Each structure stands twice: as C-alpha cells, then as structure tokens.
Amino acid sequence: MRSYSIQEINEVINGVIYGNTSQSITATEQLEKATTSEISFIGNKKYEKYWSTSNASIAVVNEDISIEPGENRAFIKVKNADLAMSQILALFAPPTPIFHNNIHKTATIDETAIIGEGAKIGAGCYIGPKVEIGANTIIYPNVTILDESTIGKNTIIWSGTVVRERCHIGSECIIHPNATIGADGFGFRPCTEKGLVKIPQIGNVIIGNGVEIGANSCVDRGKFSSTILGDGCKIDNLVQIGHNSKLGKFCIMAGNSGLAGSVTLGNGVIIGGSASIKDHTAIGDGAIIGAGSGVIGDVPAGKTMLGYPAVEARDALKQWATLKRMACAIKK
C-alpha cells in the first residue's frame, strides 16, 4: 500500500501547509467518510461545518477557508482545491488492466492495418482494413474499429466501443465503454409508396485531440461531410450528438443531453444535463445551456439560457417567480 507524508503530498500540489500532523496518508475520501489515514478536501466554505466531525487528518482547502485545522491535523491551502485533488487522486489511482502481450492472440487485425509502436490491442478486438492506430494507444477487449478509420497517439478506447468506417479520432483521447462513433445519422423522408425512405449517411466523424466521450454516448456520422468535435471537448455518458453537428474547442455536454442534426456549438459552450438542442441551431462561444432546457433558436455568445423553451436565465427566473406568486395567490 502506497503512503505519503503531508510534505510529500504538498510537493505535488505546491500549496501552503497550516497545522501539523505526522499521520501518513494511504487514500483519498470525502469528509464524512474519511478515516485518519485518508486525505479529504474542502472546496467551498459551506463545507467547513463538516470538518469538526470528520476523521480526516489532512484536507486540501481553498485559500478562503477560515476555520483552523485543529490538534494533530493540517490543511494544505491552494488556489483551487478541486484541481489540486485531481493531482492527489492520480497519486493513489490503482493500476489499469494488465496486458500480458501488446496484441492479444484472439484479436483480428486486417493485414493492411497499421499499428503504431507500443500500441496495445485486447482480446476479441476487430481492426478492419486500412485502419491506422497511433503509437501507445490502448484498445481494450471487444472493440470494433472498421475500415479506413484512424486513431491518434496515446488514445484509450474502452471495451464495447464501435468506431464505424472512415471515422477519425485524435491523440490523447478517452472513449469510454460502449460508445458508438459514426453510426448512421437519423435521416428519413416520407414517401407515398414506401412510407419512410432512409437517407444514406455517407459522411464520417472527426474527433480532435484530448477529447473524452462517456459510456453509451453516440456521435452520428454526417449525411455528407463530417460531424466534428473540436479539441478538448468533454462528453458525458448517454449523450447524443446528431449528424453534421460541429462542436468548437473545449465544449462540455453533461449526461442525457443531446444535439439534433446540424447543430453548431462555438468554443467553450456548456450544455447541462438532459438539455436538448433543436436541429440547425447555432450556440455562440461561451454560452451556457441550463440542465433540462430546450433550445429552439440560436443563442448569442456568452448567454445563459434556462427553461423549456429556453430563454435568457434572468427572464426565466422572473417567469418562475411570477408563476409562484400567482400560484400562492390562487391558494389564498
């Protein structure tokens, strides 16, 4: 079991130590559950009240925390406790699944595929014709990567993922279990003779560098041209990204949210959980769409939108307050 002194931990996060403890730390835990050998954190003043009843010996805290650590306990004060804890969690992270051989004997790899140096491919994977996989990329068991797709360097693709033909994933990405990259977009048109006619989806998906896509999420291929996710986008579990949508850099989409076809997101857009965005809608740089909102029109850069249909946040709050007053008046 790995253990660290408070001085060794502080060498990683470069904070300021307040108080003193000789307790070695063997794990991380939230305040309410922590034992004396576990380190916790306080990222907001509203959680200060839990420190007195916590058993943690050390907490990483924001600089504005006003309480004292107490006897044989210590704080490490930093500018951002959440970011500091991410570094500490990396210290205690358990090892990833083991590959005894870089290429498992049950993996099926087409002879025309190009596998980069140090890449690892697990049991039951299928790597199709003319696929290219970058150096040190890890493909966990039972992943399917179809014809002419490319995967960059140092990317991790977890089990059950399917990457359809001609799709491209950048370097330093993480694709979580059972994600689907490049399934057909939802394209049908009414036909008097046949009912609904399927519109062929002959485009692809292009994913930039440093992108993370959560479990069971889907990124549909374009009807023509590409569905695009810019560098650094972070996509939660159970997210739907429709065909020909284009995301700028560093966008965030929380769980159960979805983009219909041909939606455009600027850089740094945040889409809250279960929010829905209508097709052919453009959302400007830095805009925020609140959880559960339904966007049916373009959103200017920097705006925060709430409600269904979504309106500017301050207008939504006024509407809700008015409805509340009306409801209270009716009860009287």
Side-chain angles (χ1 to χ4, degrees):
M1 178 182 294
R2 289 171 289 185
S3 65
Y4 300 90
S5 68
I6 189 171
Q7 290 79 15
E8 290 171 326
I9 292 172
N10 193 43
E11 287 176 6
V12 175
I13 62 175
N14 196 29
V16 178
I17 297 173
Y18 288 81
N20 183 53
T21 180
S22 59
Q23 177 67 51
S24 294
I25 299 301
T26 60
T28 58
E29 187 54 271
Q30 64 192 62
L31 279 174
E32 298 93 323
K33 296 181 178 180
T35 65
T36 54
S37 63
E38 294 172 326
I39 187 171
S40 193
F41 76 107
I42 303 174
N44 190 296
K45 290 180 69 68
K46 68 181 180 180
Y47 299 113
E48 290 180 351
K49 59 186 177 183
Y50 298 113
W51 178 246
S52 62
T53 56
S54 175
N55 291 318
S57 297
I58 303 171
V60 177
V61 303
N62 283 346
E63 292 175 338
D64 63 348
I65 295 301
S66 57
I67 59 175
E68 296 295 324
E71 185 178 355
N72 198 29
R73 306 176 86 188
F75 290 154
I76 305 176
K77 288 193 174 184
V78 294
K79 289 184 178 180
N80 189 314
D82 289 323
L83 290 178
M85 278 303 294
S86 71
Q87 297 174 278
I88 295 171
L89 285 166
L91 291 176
F92 294 101
T96 56
I98 294 172
F99 281 77
H100 293 291
N101 300 292
N102 280 2
I103 310 296
H104 196 276
K105 63 182 179 180
T106 63
T108 300
I109 301 174
D110 189 88
E111 62 183 8
T112 62
I114 299 173
I115 310 301
E117 184 178 358
K120 297 179 181 180
I121 300 175
C125 289
Y126 174 79
I127 310 298
K130 299 181 180 179
V131 167
E132 296 183 17
I133 295 176
N136 302 312
T137 282
I138 299 175
I139 312 293
Y140 282 104
N142 300 314
V143 168
T144 297
I145 303 175
L146 295 177
D147 311 28
E148 300 179 29
S149 292
T150 63
I151 314 294
K153 299 176 181 179
N154 302 306
T155 284
I156 297 172
I157 301 183
W158 286 94
S159 297
T161 294
V162 175
V163 180
R164 285 274 305 269
E165 62 276 15
R166 304 185 311 280
C167 292
H168 306 290
I169 298 173
S171 298
E172 309 285 348
C173 294
I174 302 174
I175 313 296
H176 289 280
N178 299 311
T180 300
I181 310 300
D184 283 359
F186 192 67
F188 299 90
R189 291 295 180 271
C191 173
T192 54
E193 292 81 14
K194 297 182 179 180
L196 291 174
V197 174
K198 180 177 176 64
I199 306 299
Q201 308 289 298
I202 64 172
N204 68 348
V205 173
I206 299 175
I207 294 174
N209 300 320
V211 173
E212 186 160 349
I213 296 178
N216 295 294
S217 289
C218 300
V219 183
D220 290 347
R221 70 196 306 109
K223 179 169 63 177
F224 33 70
S225 68
S226 304
T227 301
I228 298 173
L229 276 65
D231 293 348
C233 288
K234 307 300 180 185
I235 310 301
D236 199 357
N237 300 337
L238 297 167
V239 169
Q240 164 66 25
I241 298 177
H243 60 189
N244 292 106
S245 289
K246 293 178 172 57
L247 282 65
K249 295 181 179 181
F250 306 111
C251 294
I252 294 173
M253 294 185 64
N256 286 297
S257 61
L259 309 181
S262 299
V263 171
T264 300
L265 304 186
N267 297 325
V269 171
I270 298 175
I271 308 293
S274 298
S276 302
I277 315 300
K278 181 183 178 293
D279 60 293
H280 297 274
T281 298
I283 298 178
D285 293 352
I288 299 173
I289 310 301
S293 298
V295 175
I296 61 174
D298 293 351
V299 176
K303 295 291 185 181
T304 297
M305 308 292 284
L306 293 174
Y308 205 101
V311 297
E312 285 196 49
R314 60 184 179 181
D315 293 331
L317 295 172
K318 289 177 182 177
Q319 291 173 10
W320 298 342
T322 299
L323 287 171
K324 184 176 181 180
R325 286 196 297 269
M326 292 172 62
C328 291
I330 291 171
K331 287 181 180 179
K332 294 179 179 178

